[in-house]
Every structure is written in C-alpha cells, then in structure tokens.
Amino acid sequence: MPNKQGLLFDTLCYISDMDTDKERDHKKLGKEFDLFAFSDSVGKGLPLFTPKGSIIRRELERFIVDEEIRRGYLHVYTPDIAKLDLYKKSGHYPHYKDSMYAPIEIDDEQFMLRPMTCPHHFELYLRKPVSYRELPMRIAELAKLYRYEQSGELMGIQRVRTFCLADAHIICANEEQAVSEIGGALDLIEYVADVFGLVLDIDYRYRLSLGDRTDAEKYYKNDAGWEKAESLLRTLMQERGSKFEEAKDEAAFYGPKIDIQMKNANGKEDTAFTVQYDFCMPERFDLSYIGEDGAKHRALVVHRSSIGAIERIMAFLIEKYAGAFPLWLSPVQVKVLPVSEKHNTYANEILVALRAANIRSDADDANESLGKKIRNAKTEKIPYLLVVGDKEVEAKTVSIESRDAGKQDITSLSDFITKISEEIKTH
C-alpha cells in the first residue's frame, strides 16, 4: 500500500514544479524584464520588441550569421513578398494555403506575404548556370516570414504571425553530398545548442518526421523518393549515435525531416530547429548543375534552420535562463553603482569607458542608498555590478560583484574591461 506521507510529498513537489514553471513562463518574464509587448491596435500575434528585447534579438542574429558565414554559408536578402504564382509553382500555396495570408492585388497581379523562403532562394540559384565545383551551395538568410496562426494557437513570442527564420537551402550534387550536409547542419545545431547551454536529451531531443505514402493530397507523390529519403535520414541518425523517435505524418510535403523538439514552461512541445531532405523542389524548379561530364544533372536540396525562428528561440531562452541571461545576451551587461552623489562624476567616467569598449552598461545615480541600488540591480539580474566609493575614486579602481560568482577582487577598470570583453567574445 502506498505511503501517504510519500504521496503527499510527491504531490507537493509536483505542485512546486508547476509553480516554478509558471514563474519561468516567457510571457510573464517578457513583461517583467520589459522585452516585448503586444498591441490590439497592431494585431494579435504581431510582437513589438522593446529596446532591451531588441538587443537580445540582435545578438542572436549576429551570432548565427557570423557562425554560418564561418561555415561556408552565403547570406542573402530576398523580398518579403512575391507573386502568388511562385508559391503555386513550389506547391506551398495548395499545401499551406490555410496558413498563408490572403493574396494582395497589385496592378492586376496577385502577390503574397511569404510564408517561407525556399522559392526565393531557388530563383537566386537559377540566375546563372552552376558548375558541380560550386556545390554544395549553402544559401542562407535571416528571413521575415508571415503565417496565419489561429488565435487559439498564438502564444507569446513562441507562436506568432510574423517571425524571423534563420533559414538556409543547400543545393547538393548527389545523395552522398546531401547526407553529408545534413550531418553538417546537425553539427551546427548542436554547437549552437551548446553555446546556449542546452543539453541533448534533456533540453531538446531529436524526432525523425516521416510522411504518409497513402496521403497524396498532403504529401508529394513519389513513393520511391520517400522510401530512399527516410532511409537515408534514419541511417544518418543511427550512425551519429543519436537517440531519436520516429513520428509518422509529421514531414514537410516535399520530404522527411529531422526535427529538434523543445518543451516550453507550460509543458507544450514545439519544433525549435529542423533539417529537411527535399526531392520535390528540384523537379518543380528544374534545379540542376553542369557535371564534370559537361552534361546537365538534377540537384538535390537540403532545407535547414540553425536556430529556428528568432522569436521562438528567444522564448525558450527566456524560460531557460529565467531572465538571468548570459553576459553576451544580457541587455545590460554592467551597472555602475556610485555609493553617493559625490561619486557620480567617477561613475560617469566609468560608464563612458565601458560604452567605448562596446560593453552595454548603465549607471544608477539616483539619490538612494547603496543597498537599494544593489537590490534593484539584482532584481534586473544584471551580470556585473561595479560599486564606486571613496576608495575606488582615489585609486581609480572598481569593486566588482558578479551575479553568478559573487564579490570579486577590486581591480582597475582596464583589467575589468579586458576580462569581460573576452567573456563576451567567447559567448
């Protein structure tokens, strides 16, 4: 018979965990730390990012663009709108029609706000003949996309109606190259996750999302293509030694995919990143290359998102860190706290030096006690506090308190700047 006290303890722990999760809800924390807002006048699912939220977003964007360029990606810009015919050609319009915005009539032609970048990147690829020597070609973009999510599905910035996707399409010469590029995309995703402090099989997991051969309306009809593509992805995951589950009827209409799944603070799971194998679009767009034999050959395509939608990964990270962002992502990295008004001049000198070193900093020069200033800064979860009083003014030093490591040795400002600049640089 179960122990009643044990059951009571388990129940209390469960309730406590639920409360902790609610405290981590990004919607609550987003408001508390002033990161984003919504306006009925702007519309549902259309977030407005505050200056602080914009800093986090911008740092994520810079981080992933720089990392992708280091890995051989070619970053581009393409329009947020295109002719409806482009999405009919790609097959997105019939398949995703219900989640696309209504066509816009311009000069007797129909245009759409884009729900994805695939056809835009394919048109870039088609602008000139491509040699096999240029493949794989990794076309990437931080792309603004627009999708109509039903009101009941909207949730903070995790599920919105406009979002920025770290998207890429890799044009490959053959299956071997495509599988290698999928492996490279997974390596990038795992590197990014590691930088974020996300642990595989704890914070995120792999899912192999399969199609349904019997559903020709939902999926591109090519049984042999589906069989080959799903087998290639399954074998790749097995060879990598990755744990994964298989999920039928979760594929893209043009091919199977490897999804990286994460749960939010409310226990709901979403796809954060994805890598997809595409045997459909090369046919629809006649994506080809000139082979070593001088003849024209059909290409293959890998779709992938390295950190997914910036808004969605922000939501996951807000909940992961509970607002205590790592130094490189923190909207305010350092706060200078003068002990009294007579120390404000030196505090301002420090502030100028920090900002000149591209360290996001602020000063609390209010006529308040030092204790209150420290409490306020800790509530904001700022990584570093610099306290300056008579000793610091006289010696031209700073007293450091780290959010994560407590009080530090008193040091010169230049040494402090050198130390945390390296911290920021190495994420």
Side-chain angles (χ1 to χ4, degrees):
M1 188 169 178
N3 181 294
K4 289 184 179 179
Q5 285 184 326
L7 284 175
L8 177 60
F9 177 77
D10 290 343
T11 302
L12 289 173
C13 286
Y14 175 70
I15 292 170
S16 175
D17 287 344
M18 287 178 64
D19 290 340
T20 301
D21 287 343
K22 287 177 183 176
E23 288 300 307
R24 286 180 175 268
D25 190 310
H26 82 276
K27 299 186 294 299
K28 175 183 179 297
L29 293 174
K31 186 174 182 179
E32 185 179 318
F33 290 96
D34 192 28
L35 302 178
F36 57 86
F38 289 90
S39 162
D40 289 339
S41 297
V42 174
K44 292 180 178 179
L46 305 174
L48 304 168
F49 286 88
T50 66
K52 287 183 177 179
S54 297
I55 287 170
I56 297 172
R57 177 181 182 132
R58 192 160 52 246
E59 287 300 320
L60 289 170
E61 291 172 353
R62 285 172 175 165
F63 164 65
I64 197 58
V65 170
D66 288 348
E67 186 58 37
E68 288 181 353
I69 289 172
R70 272 193 287 272
R71 293 177 186 240
Y73 284 85
L74 308 172
H75 264 264
V76 301
Y77 294 93
T78 59
D80 293 4
I81 190 172
K83 288 183 179 180
L84 177 58
D85 289 343
L86 182 67
Y87 303 112
K88 288 181 176 177
K89 180 179 179 180
S90 68
H92 287 107
Y93 186 65
H95 285 284
Y96 291 137
K97 181 180 178 181
D98 291 342
S99 62
M100 295 171 75
Y101 278 93
I104 303 166
E105 294 280 346
I106 305 174
D107 297 334
D108 298 324
E109 290 184 303
Q110 288 188 312
F111 290 78
M112 296 287 297
L113 288 170
R114 66 175 174 188
M116 63 284 298
T117 56
C118 328
H120 295 244
H121 290 179
F122 298 153
E123 290 300 317
L124 260 180
Y125 178 83
L126 291 168
R127 74 189 187 279
K128 62 182 180 66
V130 175
S131 163
Y132 71 95
R133 294 188 181 90
E134 298 175 76
L135 301 182
M137 184 182 292
R138 307 177 187 100
I139 304 171
E141 181 175 6
L142 286 179
K144 289 287 289 181
L145 304 180
Y146 306 84
R147 296 182 189 175
Y148 172 70
E149 296 279 1
Q150 295 183 30
S151 296
E153 292 293 315
L154 297 173
M155 187 174 64
I157 58 170
Q158 185 166 331
R159 190 169 286 275
V160 288
R161 287 176 173 169
T162 177
F163 56 94
C164 178
L165 188 67
D167 203 9
H169 299 90
I170 307 172
I171 317 299
C172 303
N174 50 49
E175 289 173 358
E176 183 181 3
Q177 202 172 79
V179 170
S180 175
E181 287 301 309
I182 291 170
L186 293 175
D187 289 342
L188 171 58
I189 286 169
E190 290 183 5
Y191 167 76
V192 166
D194 186 55
V195 169
F196 292 155
L198 303 174
V199 180
L200 181 59
D201 298 323
I202 295 177
D203 296 303
Y204 69 99
R205 67 182 183 87
Y206 284 122
R207 182 182 76 185
L208 176 57
S209 297
L210 310 173
D212 182 353
R213 313 284 190 279
T214 64
D215 191 346
E217 186 175 334
K218 185 175 179 180
Y219 296 106
Y220 181 64
K221 187 63 178 173
N222 182 340
D223 288 356
W226 279 100
E227 203 66 43
K228 172 62 74 68
E230 290 176 355
S231 176
L232 286 171
L233 295 188
R234 185 180 292 111
T235 300
L236 172 65
M237 294 301 285
Q238 290 168 344
E239 289 177 349
R240 288 175 67 89
S242 301
K243 293 181 185 176
F244 65 96
E245 71 165 20
E246 298 193 4
K248 190 177 180 181
D249 205 24
E250 291 287 347
F253 76 86
Y254 46 74
K257 55 195 177 105
I258 299 167
D259 289 325
I260 288 76
Q261 302 294 108
M262 293 186 192
K263 281 187 179 179
N264 63 26
N266 297 309
K268 186 179 186 301
E269 186 174 87
D270 268 310
T271 299
F273 321 135
T274 187
V275 185
Q276 306 167 354
Y277 186 98
D278 179 0
F279 50 82
C280 166
M281 297 294 174
E283 297 289 335
R284 289 180 180 269
F285 282 84
D286 191 21
L287 300 178
S288 59
Y289 64 93
I290 305 303
E292 196 171 359
D293 57 1
K296 184 177 173 181
H297 297 267
R298 176 70 67 229
L300 292 170
V301 173
V302 172
H303 305 238
R304 53 102 284 205
S305 61
S306 52
I307 60 171
I310 300 296
E311 292 80 357
R312 181 169 290 182
I313 193 60
M314 270 188 69
F316 283 123
L317 294 179
I318 289 168
E319 295 181 352
K320 168 73 176 175
Y321 303 131
F325 297 101
L327 181 66
W328 71 281
L329 278 180
S330 292
V332 178
Q333 294 167 321
V334 178
K335 180 157 274 192
V336 186
L337 307 178
V339 173
S340 69
E341 288 185 309
K342 69 178 182 178
H343 306 113
N344 285 352
T345 300
Y346 181 50
N348 191 59
E349 290 174 18
I350 293 171
L351 195 61
V352 169
L354 290 169
R355 289 177 175 174
N358 293 317
I359 296 166
R360 295 188 293 274
S361 45
D362 201 355
D364 186 347
D365 57 4
N367 188 20
E368 302 280 0
S369 70
L370 178 61
K372 185 171 183 180
K373 290 179 182 182
I374 291 174
R375 285 194 299 274
N376 290 342
K378 286 186 174 180
T379 300
E380 295 176 55
K381 299 190 178 181
I382 293 169
Y384 284 101
L385 307 181
L386 298 185
V387 177
V388 292
D390 291 338
K391 284 189 306 181
E392 289 78 18
V393 170
E394 186 178 344
K396 294 298 179 183
T397 57
V398 289
S399 292
I400 308 163
E401 181 158 346
S402 163
R403 180 192 64 200
D404 302 321
K407 290 187 177 179
Q408 311 285 290
D409 292 335
I410 294 174
T411 186
S412 68
L413 178 60
S414 61
D415 284 350
F416 173 72
I417 287 175
T418 299
K419 174 183 178 294
I420 75 160
S421 294
E422 183 63 20
E423 261 190 74
I424 292 166
K425 181 182 175 183
T426 56
H427 300 107

